[in-house]
Amino acid sequence: MVAFSMRKVPNREATEISHVLLCNVTQRVSFWFVVTDPSKNHTLPAVEVQSAIRMNKNRINNAFFLNDQTLEFLKIPSTLAPPMDPSVPIWIIIFGVIFCIIIVAIALLILSGIWQRRSAQPKFKG
């Protein structure tokens, strides 16, 4: 996937899998790598490799069935979406619900008092 990502960078169409060297491979899929330039026989600058990975990070994550929470590239910020901020603060919603309940309760008390007063008055037949 790194070789594929490097091919997307201008002037790096000839990057092959053999140009990506894995180093310090461990049991827990922890390693670092370098990408070599076959024409000049040296390693490519980290900035160039980082930009190639940043452009194809979603494809790399999908290749390993991972996401930005489980696959981390050092020095490359994650592409997770920022947490969603609701357009209305939560405390206003809670306050509104409690305020509506209080208004409905007061209205019911007033209406029940009026209803009880009417039913308690003696009816004159005249």
Side-chain angles (χ1 to χ4, degrees), residues 64-105:
F64 295 110
F65 298 108
L66 301 171
N67 59 30
D68 280 342
Q69 294 172 337
T70 55
L71 179 62
E72 178 184 8
F73 289 94
L74 298 178
K75 298 184 183 177
I76 299 177
S78 69
T79 55
L80 293 175
M84 238 177 78
D85 287 334
S87 58
V88 179
I90 300 294
W91 69 268
I92 290 179
I93 296 171
I94 294 170
F95 176 78
V97 169
I98 292 173
F99 186 72
C100 288
I101 290 172
I102 290 172
I103 295 297
V104 168

Side-chain angles (χ1 to χ4, degrees), residues 110-120:
I110 292 171
L111 291 175
S112 69
I114 292 171
W115 181 70
Q116 285 179 356
R117 183 180 284 172
R118 284 190 182 167
S119 64

Side-chain angles (χ1 to χ4, degrees), residues 49-63:
V49 176
Q50 288 172 0
S51 68
I53 289 175
R54 195 175 293 116
M55 287 189 307
N56 292 294
K57 197 166 186 189
N58 189 37
R59 183 180 282 250
I60 294 170
N61 285 343
N62 289 339

